[in-house]
Amino acid sequence: MRRSVLVGCGSYLPDRLVTNFDLEKILDTSNDWIVERSGIHQRYFAAEGQLTSDLATHAAERALHAAGLRGGDVDLVVLATATPDQTFPATATKVQARLGMTRGAAFDIQAVCSGFIYALAVANNFIRTGQADVAVVIGAETFSRILDWQDRTTAVLFGDGAGAVVLKGVKGHGDISDRGVLSTHLHSDGRHGHLLYVDGGPSSSKQVGHLRMSGREVFRHAVVNLAEVVTETLTANGLTAADIDWVVPHQANRRILDGTAKKLGIDPAKMVVTVDQHANTSAASVPLALTAAVRDGRIKTGDLVLLEAMGGGFTWGAGLVRM
Ligand code: UT7
């Protein structure tokens, strides 16, 4: 038996900082509305010509550095994104080339805001079954490219960025006190696709398209689905909310984070919150938040960390990691 241990993480934010006050100048909106409804104060946007693969490569290099490994050590890249550089090739293969990795496999995962949890689950299963030894798992997005600047209900909510973790295979099944990915739990329900989608794409349209969201409905489903998958994760591992050291949630809306914590009886002080700084960066948000909390010393080796996310599809999921 094998398991995968998270041996490093890293993140990257582009230089261009955009505050709510900047958005007030181009949209019929206000800092007060954005902060009150979402908790967002600012976001970062990629520079013109700066691609998802650029953000992803920086994050992956930083995660490998933190793990004391190099591109040549890696035999799997799983990259979650809904904003790939091109329709094909996979953005992951561009990152693979830039990391100097010439063996193994690299591919993209598409589960929108849940993408990182899906990618983590896939990489963890590759390692457990002996198909990979060292995996770089990346969430990277340039959502600024698919925002409709005529639609104030969505344009104020998203940002660009990337985060990555390195998983390494070790011998032994391990138990709950051992470092490693303890479990992952994935769900989707395609009946809700019309509530959060992009109105373009290669098969349906000549355009890349823009993000469309029925915010209120998505909000309602998010709190219910996230509470369910967190409960499923705790139950599968014989734990209660009190046993978890940190929750690293997808960062869509401060009110979703507070609502989920309340519903589950999780101490709000255990929730890692970056939505105020980064806005919603889709697949990048969980590894960005994880890296922020590792870097500032909150999350330490040995901590029990629960990751969760919900996004378009709908897709949702959670993962439990002993760091
Ligand atoms: O990451 C994937 C998952 N995504 C999410 O989880 C997002 C879930 N949804 C949300 O976060 C929230 O629903 C939003 C932040 C999108 C919206 O908050 P809300 O409390 O649901 O507001 P609302 O959509 O009900 O809109 C309230 C009002 C409306 O005006 P009326 O109809 O009440 O007069 C909107 O027109 O706010 C208005 N409004 C705005 N006002 C100023 C909508 N957007 C803006 C804006 N600035 N940017």
Side-chain angles (χ1 to χ4, degrees):
M1 284 300 284
R2 283 156 54 96
R3 67 184 191 283
S4 60
V5 174
L6 198 162
V7 291
C9 59
S11 65
Y12 178 80
L13 289 162
D15 290 338
R16 190 174 157 213
L17 173 66
V18 179
T19 67
N20 294 346
F21 298 105
D22 295 325
L23 297 186
E24 278 183 357
K25 294 178 196 146
I26 55 166
L27 280 170
D28 177 19
T29 190
S30 67
N31 175 62
D32 287 350
W33 189 94
I34 301 170
V35 171
E36 189 195 314
R37 300 294 174 129
S38 70
I40 295 165
H41 290 261
Q42 60 177 48
R43 73 287 292 141
Y44 295 85
F45 284 162
E48 206 169 316
Q50 193 177 29
L51 306 183
T52 295
S53 60
D54 297 320
L55 276 50
T57 302
H58 288 310
E61 285 169 345
R62 289 175 181 180
L64 282 168
H65 181 75
L69 294 169
R70 290 139 62 112
D73 299 318
V74 178
D75 58 1
L76 178 67
V77 174
V78 187
L79 189 154
T81 188
T83 45
D85 291 6
Q86 294 150 266
T87 302
F88 73 79
T91 303
T93 56
K94 297 174 93 175
V95 174
Q96 176 191 28
R98 285 175 61 186
L99 293 178
M101 169 196 162
T102 51
R103 65 204 174 97
F107 55 86
D108 289 358
I109 293 263
Q110 160 55 295
V112 207
C113 299
S114 313
F116 181 77
I117 305 290
Y118 271 63
L120 185 79
V122 169
N124 178 45
N125 286 324
F126 266 65
I127 287 175
R128 283 162 63 100
T129 55
Q131 292 182 77
D133 286 319
V134 177
V136 178
V137 184
I138 309 167
E141 302 280 17
T142 47
F143 260 50
S144 60
R145 306 271 154 75
I146 55 166
L147 296 177
D148 177 358
W149 289 102
Q150 309 304 315
D151 177 11
R152 65 175 184 171
T153 68
T154 54
V156 302
L157 300 175
F158 294 89
D160 301 339
V165 302
V166 180
L167 298 182
K168 198 170 186 302
V170 299
K171 280 201 186 116
H173 181 266
D175 64 31
I176 198 136
S177 58
D178 290 318
R179 294 186 69 195
V181 178
L182 299 174
S183 71
T184 56
H185 307 265
L186 304 182
H187 295 279
S188 62
D189 185 344
R191 291 174 299 174
H192 304 294
H194 62 286
L195 295 175
L196 177 49
Y197 65 100
V198 167
D199 61 359
S203 171
S204 62
S205 149
K206 292 197 178 78
Q207 310 293 327
V208 169
H210 291 118
L211 183 149
R212 306 291 174 208
M213 178 165 73
S214 305
R216 222 176 293 181
E217 279 100 311
V218 176
F219 188 107
R220 197 165 46 80
H221 282 279
V223 176
V224 173
N225 291 346
L226 289 170
E228 273 177 18
V229 77
V230 169
T231 303
E232 177 187 335
T233 307
L234 294 174
T235 305
N237 289 280
L239 301 171
T240 68
D243 298 314
I244 301 298
D245 294 307
W246 294 99
V247 178
V248 182
H250 170 50
Q251 311 282 323
N253 186 318
R254 179 71 208 232
R255 291 185 292 135
I256 295 179
L257 306 190
D258 295 343
T260 313
K262 197 170 171 199
K263 209 168 164 59
L264 292 164
I266 295 171
D267 177 357
K270 290 183 177 179
M271 304 284 283
V272 176
V273 179
T274 53
V275 66
D276 53 331
Q277 300 295 306
H278 305 158
N280 183 347
T281 57
S282 182
S285 90
V286 169
L288 267 166
L290 178 70
T291 303
V294 167
R295 201 185 296 136
D296 69 20
R298 275 178 290 170
I299 295 182
K300 298 183 185 63
T301 301
D303 281 354
L304 199 51
V305 177
L306 198 152
L307 315 172
E308 46 94 324
M310 144 98 192
F314 290 144
T315 57
W316 66 102
L320 187 69
V321 182
R322 176 76 71 184
M323 296 291 289

